[in-house]
Amino acid sequence: MKSSSFFTLLFFVAISFSGISQFAFNYVDSISVIHGGNALKMPWAGGLNYIQISDIDYDYDGDMDLLVFDRSQNQVKLFEHYQEAGVSAYRYDPYGKDLFPSDMRYRLFAIDYNGDNKKDLFTYGIGGLKVYKNMGDASNGMSWELAKELVYSDYWGVELNLYVSSTDIPAIVDVDNDGDIDVLTFHIGGQYIQYHQNKSMELYNHADSLVFELRNECWGKVREDVSTNTLFLDDQTPPCEDGNVPNPGIVKPEILDDLQEEKAHAGSSLLALDIDNSGVKDLIVGDVAFTNLNLLTNSGSEVNANSPMISVDPSFPSNSIPVSTQLFPAAFYVDVDFDEIKDLIVAPNAKNVSENETSVVKYKNTGSNLNANFVFETKAFLQEDMIDCGTGSIPKFVDIDGDGLTDMFIAHFFAYKPVLSKESRIAYYKNTGTLITPEFTLIDSDFQNLSSLNVGLRMVPAFGDLNGDSKIDMFLGLEDGTLVYFENNSTGSSVTFSSPVFNYTDNNGNLIQHGLYATPQLFDLNKDGLLDLIFGVKTGEIIYYQNTGSTSNPEFTLVTSLLGGIDVSDLTPDGYPVPNFFSHNDTTYAIIGCLDGTLKFLKDIDNHIDDGGLFTFIDSSFLNIELGAYSSAYVLDIDNDTDLDLFLGQDLGGIFHLENEPGSNLGIQEHLYELRIELYPNPFNHIVHIKQIGPVKDEHVFLCDYSGKLIRQFELTSQEFEIDLSFLDQGMYVLHFVQSGVKKKISKK
């Protein structure tokens, strides 16, 4: 049985850490989370957005587990089939993703193509399909061999890549029931379905080769409308009038013309199954711009007979609640409830515009594998067992109601809002447990009805008592970069706030706004007993305002717009940092989440707050945790056991919970992340010092304004270098180090 530990990773930090010898965070799923009176089965599994699903025995124990590929940021998630007291169930295995190739993109489907009873992987290859062969076993565990970097097909005498659009989900299935795996895919124009027959059995009498031939250019004699998902049956226009099944060796030049230019086709999904036990495959078809699935029923009774589709059902499954999925529904045929009968799973695959909270629909097959009958069961398969708050979750913790227990709030980038819209909400989970056994109960998925403010996406809270009345006040960071202040005026246990103060200003009455998507934190950074204001902005910087007021009257004074030299957007225009400063053994650390899905871990903060110096990056990818995108973190001791807990938010909208457990036996050794290029002071007045750390090399440096316009260029030829930038106006600038590919932002006072 596989261990349920998550990221069982150990990160040793330097002895110079005051009072800390190591952090060892392991996945812990023991904290109960209650939704609607029921405990979630796997609350900390991280959420799902736009999935594709297969089954695979990834631990070689004889039963089938679930392989989930989320199109959002090409994430792989594994759900292990296990039994407890004779009852089968799934549990999330956070180790699982590391057992699979890291370069899978756009789509993933598991099927045994070579007949060895181990499922292989079909994923995206440039313009088509890439295939990995399953080489693992029970003794040695899972391993993969690249079988085909790109699958080719014989286009009637010309070997070309078997074309599948990066948007499409093809049907990879044994169409002709001869034991090898064929492919059905929309041709490049998107109107016709091509049948690529695998010739492995015909040529070699075994299934372990991937040798394809374009057998039919209009399989099923059906044509899809160019601009809608209308399907025309028994189409008599070329190439559908005769199926276009020529003798091998006849070259069709128009095929080559088609492959030179992608036409109107925007995206389709195909699922091929014999739904009526006729002996030939029927089709379930989805389209990128529509919400429904079309069922095409094949008229044939024998394979490879060029039989036409004779009916189309646009309200599939019409015997139950028809599919209505925003947007681009894709159907998958897999047994997900342990009865050995394949069910229908439907999920949207239009990234960032589809439903992202209740997006995995299950139709139970109440018939058989030979004669399916699909009945709607749930619109949130797997998701209903976990915390799922849309896209880009951000956890925050505070005792909001003054009962002595720390509650949980989850912000996010956005949730889907019907129809074809987005909104930002904040979920409130009250701690209904005890000091040593926390339990979180969902009280409100839209705390204080904040979505009604209509202030855009990524509405992020920061909590703290700002006026000394022992009640927790709140800032909201908004999409436009401004802050909204809410004073807590609660009486008793009911949490209420006074009217919001928009466009919050600093000590001089100036609007606090330094860029888009402010993500605030209230934290006593300079240890003077007052909560300071720290927030990240879209372009990657961390802004610091010191509280220069009093315990009853806060005033925030700008100290720096580049705190500690932190900029998480060195390689991209955007960073979306989420700061989490925390104190441990009277020493301040920070974990910064960001757009690329990694976590930045910093020290040397206490020594460099007042002098404007650089904080030290201990690790630019803390614990090697890769969360896909929009990572965030919150550190606290939630169960008062003296071990720190780490709560992680990320692209898929759920939360991971890890706890510090010294003595973990797996991990990564310390590797101090050294900035190869340091700039100081930053902000500057006149002179900027540049220092190379590590091997010195010549660098060509471009100085640009924030729009990218080149101002000056110069050469860096020594380990330390000074440049006089006194001629620049006040503002933000970028130094681009060409050879290193590094970009550093600097600001002039």
Side-chain angles (χ1 to χ4, degrees):
M1 189 67 68
K2 189 178 303 296
S3 168
S4 63
S5 60
F6 174 80
F7 302 139
T8 312
L9 298 170
L10 180 61
F11 181 77
F12 292 98
V13 295
I15 296 175
S16 62
F17 275 44
S18 300
I20 294 184
S21 59
Q22 63 184 20
F23 286 131
F25 285 102
N26 297 322
Y27 177 73
V28 178
D29 60 0
S30 58
I31 296 180
S32 180
V33 178
I34 310 298
H35 276 205
N38 299 313
L40 299 181
K41 296 176 182 177
M42 40 186 173
W44 310 104
L48 299 170
N49 284 346
Y50 321 113
I51 76 160
Q52 301 163 27
I53 190 168
S54 308
D55 58 0
I56 187 171
D57 183 8
Y58 83 110
D59 48 9
Y60 306 99
D61 64 354
D63 56 33
M64 300 306 289
D65 312 294
L66 292 185
L67 171 62
V68 175
F69 179 81
D70 202 297
R71 204 166 203 166
S72 186
Q73 293 292 331
N74 304 305
Q75 293 104 313
V76 172
K77 304 191 86 165
L78 264 295
F79 295 88
E80 180 190 4
H81 176 186
Y82 76 104
Q83 288 194 339
E84 186 171 337
V87 178
S88 291
Y90 292 113
R91 62 184 170 198
Y92 175 57
D93 180 4
Y95 254 153
K97 69 182 183 66
D98 298 325
L99 303 176
F100 288 79
S102 61
D103 62 345
M104 297 184 296
R105 301 289 183 269
Y106 301 120
R107 56 178 172 265
L108 179 63
F109 184 67
I111 190 170
D112 177 15
Y113 82 84
N114 58 358
D116 63 357
N117 294 316
K118 296 184 295 187
K119 291 207 170 183
D120 310 294
L121 302 177
F122 284 70
T123 185
Y124 175 74
I126 298 175
L129 298 169
K130 178 188 290 189
V131 181
Y132 283 95
K133 184 189 297 186
N134 190 337
M135 303 297 291
D137 55 51
S139 299
N140 300 299
M142 182 160 278
S143 63
W144 301 97
E145 176 185 284
L146 182 62
K148 289 283 186 180
E149 180 68 41
L150 191 60
V151 172
Y152 283 80
S153 185
D154 181 355
Y155 283 77
W156 298 321
V158 180
E159 285 288 321
L160 299 168
N161 65 292
L162 197 168
Y163 178 79
V164 184
S165 165
S166 61
T167 310
D168 282 2
I169 299 175
I172 301 172
V173 65
D174 185 2
V175 173
D176 53 7
N177 302 322
D178 67 350
D180 55 24
I181 300 303
D182 312 300
V183 177
L184 295 171
T185 179
F186 272 93
H187 91 305
I188 200 165
Q191 292 179 276
Y192 314 111
I193 298 165
Q194 293 181 338
Y195 165 34
H196 292 266
Q197 183 186 24
N198 192 338
K199 306 298 290 185
S200 184
M201 291 298 295
E202 288 81 358
L203 294 173
Y204 311 115
N205 200 35
H206 55 68
D208 64 354
S209 297
L210 296 166
V211 182
F212 291 92
E213 175 184 279
L214 179 57
R215 172 82 181 191
N216 194 315
E217 200 179 5
C218 185
W219 191 77
K221 290 190 174 182
V222 62
R223 173 172 58 89
E224 185 176 68
D225 185 68
V226 173
S227 57
T228 73
N229 69 340
T230 301
L231 297 167
F232 301 99
L233 303 181
D234 198 20
D235 190 71
Q236 295 301 310
T237 61
C240 294
E241 79 282 9
D242 60 1
N244 228 346
V245 189
N247 297 318
I250 297 178
V251 179
K252 291 178 61 60
E254 58 266 32
I255 290 178
L256 302 180
D257 295 338
D258 278 348
L259 289 172
Q260 300 304 312
E261 178 183 1
E262 184 146 3
K263 299 180 181 177
H265 186 52
S268 300
S269 65
L270 292 174
L271 173 64
L273 72 163
D274 184 2
I275 199 168
D276 55 2
N277 197 23
S278 65
V280 294
K281 295 293 189 291
D282 310 295
L283 279 179
I284 298 172
V285 185
D287 188 278
V288 69
F290 293 86
T291 64
N292 68 306
L293 290 173
N294 283 304
L295 170 64
L296 288 166
T297 303
N298 201 315
S299 65
S301 58
E302 59 182 78
V303 299
N304 292 344
N306 194 30
S307 53
M309 299 293 178
I310 57 169
S311 68
V312 56
D313 180 3
S315 300
F316 174 78
S318 55
N319 64 295
S320 183
I321 300 174
V323 169
S324 180
T325 297
Q326 296 283 358
L327 270 170
F328 192 14
F332 307 93
Y333 193 41
V334 59
D335 174 21
V336 298
D337 52 16
F338 317 109
D339 63 0
E340 299 184 357
I341 300 174
K342 293 184 178 182
D343 307 295
L344 186 74
I345 300 296
V346 180
N349 266 254
K351 177 180 172 182
N352 292 331
V353 296
S354 299
E355 169 66 59
N356 58 2
E357 289 179 293
T358 53
S359 57
V360 183
V361 183
K362 178 192 173 187
Y363 289 86
K364 181 173 177 60
N365 188 348
T366 61
S368 67
N369 291 328
L370 296 178
N371 201 340
N373 184 65
F374 299 119
V375 177
F376 174 83
E377 187 172 280
T378 177
K379 62 180 180 179
F381 175 66
L382 295 177
Q383 291 169 307
E384 61 197 1
D385 297 325
M386 64 182 78
I387 296 171
D388 195 326
C389 295
T391 292
S393 52
I394 301 173
K396 299 278 188 169
F397 291 83
V398 68
D399 179 8
I400 193 67
D401 54 6
D403 64 356
L405 301 177
T406 301
D407 308 300
M408 177 172 67
F409 292 83
I410 303 175
H412 56 200
F413 202 127
F414 67 88
Y416 178 81
K417 179 181 179 181
V419 173
L420 297 180
S421 187
K422 301 174 182 178
E423 67 178 353
S424 182
R425 306 189 301 266
I426 296 172
Y428 166 38
Y429 290 80
K430 178 179 172 59
N431 190 340
T432 52
T434 68
L435 285 172
I436 61 174
T437 308
E439 173 189 84
F440 295 109
T441 298
L442 178 64
I443 301 299
D444 193 347
S445 60
D446 188 4
F447 180 62
Q448 300 288 308
N449 196 29
L450 291 174
S451 67
S452 65
L453 294 177
N454 294 317
V455 290
L457 305 183
R458 212 177 198 224
M459 183 172 54
V460 180
F463 297 101
D465 179 10
L466 289 172
N467 55 8
D469 62 357
S470 299
K471 299 175 184 178
I472 299 299
D473 308 302
M474 179 175 65
F475 273 121
L476 278 185
L478 304 185
E479 179 180 349
D480 66 4
T482 63
L483 300 173
V484 185
Y485 173 61
F486 294 79
E487 182 181 351
N488 191 329
N489 61 3
S490 302
T491 57
S493 60
S494 178
V495 180
T496 59
F497 293 91
S498 59
S499 297
V501 178
F502 287 87
N503 297 315
Y504 197 81
T505 57
D506 65 11
N507 62 309
N508 293 318
N510 298 318
L511 179 66
I512 297 179
Q513 185 183 37
H514 291 259
L516 301 177
Y517 294 103
T519 53
Q521 180 186 8
L522 288 168
F523 180 79
D524 184 6
L525 189 62
N526 62 349
K527 299 183 179 180
D528 64 354
L530 301 177
L531 290 174
D532 304 303
L533 176 61
I534 305 162
F535 59 92
V537 292
K538 179 176 182 282
T539 47
E541 304 88 4
I542 304 293
I543 318 300
Y544 169 42
Y545 279 80
Q546 181 183 340
N547 188 342
T548 54
S550 65
T551 55
S552 61
N553 185 28
E555 288 188 350
F556 294 103
T557 301
L558 177 63
V559 176
T560 176
S561 57
L562 197 63
L563 177 63
I566 301 170
D567 182 351
V568 299
S569 64
D570 281 349
L571 301 179
T572 61
D574 296 326
Y576 290 96
V578 181
N580 179 233
F581 287 79
F582 64 98
S583 182
H584 188 74
N585 293 340
D586 201 36
T587 302
T588 303
Y589 303 93
I591 297 179
I592 311 296
C594 56
L595 173 62
D596 68 10
T598 62
L599 300 171
K600 318 299 183 185
F601 189 24
L602 298 97
K603 68 167 187 174
D604 290 339
I605 294 171
D606 295 321
N607 299 326
H608 294 299
I609 295 170
D610 295 326
D611 64 9
L614 300 174
F615 300 161
T616 299
F617 278 78
I618 301 169
D619 192 5
S620 64
S621 183
F622 183 51
L623 297 180
N624 278 347
I625 293 173
E626 301 286 345
L627 297 173
Y630 300 114
S631 59
S632 60
Y634 201 100
V635 178
L636 77 164
D637 180 7
I638 192 64
D639 50 7
N640 294 286
D641 61 356
T642 72
D643 288 323
L644 293 176
D645 298 89
L646 176 62
F647 292 86
L648 302 176
Q650 36 71 52
D651 184 51
L652 300 186
I655 304 295
F656 298 124
H657 171 223
L658 293 78
E659 186 166 12
N660 184 40
E661 296 183 5
S664 175
N665 59 2
L666 292 176
I668 53 175
Q669 300 298 318
E670 174 194 7
H671 56 285
L672 291 180
Y673 173 68
E674 296 180 319
L675 292 174
R676 184 165 42 166
I677 297 171
E678 287 188 353
L679 308 174
Y680 59 93
N682 194 7
F684 66 93
N685 283 320
H686 302 292
I687 303 297
V688 173
H689 299 266
I690 303 175
K691 182 178 180 180
Q692 294 190 81
I693 297 176
V696 177
K697 65 179 181 180
D698 293 345
E699 274 282 4
H700 195 68
V701 185
F702 292 155
L703 171 66
C704 302
D705 66 17
Y706 220 57
S707 69
K709 180 181 178 181
L710 179 64
I711 299 173
R712 180 171 295 184
Q713 52 186 305
F714 53 91
E715 298 293 329
L716 176 62
T717 57
S718 59
Q719 185 172 28
E720 296 193 43
F721 197 75
E722 294 182 357
I723 52 174
D724 186 350
L725 300 180
S726 57
F727 65 92
L728 293 175
D729 295 329
Q730 183 180 3
M732 296 289 293
Y733 299 89
V734 178
L735 287 171
H736 181 192
F737 298 84
V738 178
Q739 280 76 9
S740 301
V742 172
K743 294 181 180 179
K744 294 291 182 183
K745 298 174 185 175
I746 57 175
S747 62
K748 186 174 182 183
K749 296 179 181 179

